[in-house]
Amino acid sequence: MQRNAVRWGLLALFVDGPKYGYQLRTELDTRTGGSWAVNVGQIYTTLDRLVRDGLVATEGADAEGRELYMLTEPGRVALAEWYLTPVTETERPRNELAIKLAMAARDPSVDITIVVQHQRTESMRQLRDYTDLRRQANEDVDLTWSLFLDHLIFALEGELRWLDHVEATVLRRRYTRPAPASTYAPTPPEAAEIAESGRARR
Amino acid sequence: MSDVVLRLAEVERVYRAGEGSVWALAGVSLTVRAGELVAVMGPSGSGKSTLLSIAGGLEVPTSGSVEVAGVRLGGLDSTAVAHLRRDRIGYVFQDFNLVTDLTAAENVALPLELGGSSARAARASAITALDEVGLPEVADRFPDQLSGGQQQRVAIARALVGERRLVLADEPTGALDSQTSLAVLQVLRARIDGGAAGVLVTHEARYAGWADRTVFLRDGRLVDTTPERDDARRLLAEPS
Ligand SMILES: Nc1ncnc2c1ncn2[C@@H]1O[C@H](COP(=O)(O)OP(=O)(O)OP(=O)(O)O)[C@@H](O)[C@H]1O
Ligand SMILES: [Mg+2]
């Protein structure tokens, strides 16, 4: 998890009024379905830094005596700047799935249709499970959570389209040009099994 | 089990094509229970429509058996199959298949009227069904006065009207924009949650996500199926 994302995510929680420390954790949790997995310690450290930087300030206490924090004017400006700055650094290039399939595609001993199908089934299972959650989510109650789930759903949809594309591309190339000689011997049993079942299907 | 609504066992469908034969289905077994929606995905020509039309009694398998609501279709004469189809099975065709000289409402009411409902009751149910798919205003228009997406929704209303035990839908969202597609899936899903069984053929993963299970067809065979539900919230909580 990018540290900056937690900082900005916390700051953004203050737009609808003053909050106490632990409340930030609960809200971050429900709005991201726990997927951000930020621990309490990290919440308080980040909150301290936001106060130090003048983006958040203390604002008395609530009826139970918990110290409340609120967004300052510089905090509001910083938040607006964050919203207007596009995100450029993501984990996209290091995605294991992308590397695995792109590597498997050039290995002539691998039956790409099986590799793709295993992934397709798994991605489809995730898509089904997120769709379940999305159907239960209520935009009016928690818009952030609803849109966050939509993000996961659209990403999986894109992933599945890419899987179709990988399969089609590899098959087209294998039928139209001779396979290059393998430059190494694949050894893991899994790989052998995939190659074996691939041969059996042809 | 008693709640099985559709059971296909080792279904094969071979088409004669010129000199050779095409194995559109090469031994497919599939069971769908009441309250369950199964999505079918696979490349073009993999046998999805063939699977659906055999499940709906529109086509006869070359071998294997088909059972709908406990009745083996192979043991019925064509009239009995037609009745079962009309009363128990809702079918959304890939190309809509509306009757061109009937209005939208008449198209939707048709299976009910044929099944013996009064014209008034059938029309009332048809209007409700059109309302559900977001088309209350087109009841008295003819198919050629409707857009592709509207015709598709009329076809869906026709498949959902009455007490259908089994709903079979072939690319029901093919002509719809994404908001309308989601609305249609909601209607379909509500019917399934109300106790019907359903099979949804789709190219779109996002819509297959509404099904309880997705099966993948390839060259007339089921090659894989998604596992049962997990606790998605728990999966989400695992740091990635
Ligand atoms: N009446 C027919 N005569 C001969 N071959 C047929 C007939 N109907 C279908 N086929 C063949 O059977 C195979 C499966 O066709 P089917 O219509 O079930 O595919 P599909 O998965 O629905 O494809 P799509 O995604 O394009 O709708 C195809 O190879 C098709 O050409
Ligand atoms: Mg088809």
Side-chain angles (χ1 to χ4, degrees), chain B residues 3 5 33-37 189 191-198 212:
Chain B
D3 62 348
V5 176
R33 296 170 195 289
E36 189 181 31
L37 180 63
R189 190 68 238 193
R191 217 40 78 92
I192 304 298
D193 293 341
D212 300 290

Side-chain angles (χ1 to χ4, degrees), chain B residues 81-97:
Chain B
V81 173
H83 282 182
L84 183 74
R85 222 160 55 207
R86 187 191 65 205
D87 298 336
R88 292 284 172 256
I89 304 175
Y91 204 106
V92 185
F93 293 86
Q94 196 164 9
D95 53 3
F96 320 149
N97 221 12

Side-chain angles (χ1 to χ4, degrees), chain A residues 92-104 159 162-163 166:
Chain A
R92 251 170 251 150
R94 298 226 182 156
N95 183 321
E96 180 190 342
L97 190 158
I99 292 294
K100 183 198 287 187
L101 273 288
M103 290 294 191
E159 188 171 293
W162 181 73
L163 287 172
V166 168

Side-chain angles (χ1 to χ4, degrees), chain B residues 90-115:
Chain B
Y91 204 106
V92 185
F93 293 86
Q94 196 164 9
D95 53 3
F96 320 149
N97 221 12
L98 298 174
V99 183
T100 51
D101 49 5
L102 295 182
T103 65
E106 287 165 353
N107 262 285
V108 177
L110 190 61
L112 297 177
E113 284 201 60
L114 292 174

Side-chain angles (χ1 to χ4, degrees), chain A residues 32-35 37 117-118 120-121 124-125 127-133 135 145 149 152-154 157 160 167 171 201, chain B residues 41 189 193 204-206 208-214 216 218 223-230 232-233 235-237 239:
Chain A
T32 60
S35 65
Q117 186 55 52
H118 284 177
R120 190 184 272 135
T121 303
M124 194 61 229
R125 182 189 64 77
L127 180 50
R128 188 247 349 247
D129 289 348
Y130 292 141
T131 304
D132 279 357
L133 291 177
R135 280 165 50 209
W145 172 227
L149 282 170
L152 296 171
I153 288 169
F154 278 95
E157 186 183 30
L160 281 152
E167 185 177 28
L171 294 181
R201 296 172 108 231
Chain B
M41 297 189 82
R189 190 68 238 193
D193 293 341
E204 305 235 25
R206 193 145 54 95
W210 283 66
D212 300 290
R213 243 180 332 134
T214 297
F216 298 91
R218 162 160 240 115
V223 292
D224 213 354
T225 176
T226 50
E228 295 294 304
R229 282 194 165 67
D230 204 328
R233 217 171 251 278
L235 290 174
L236 251 183

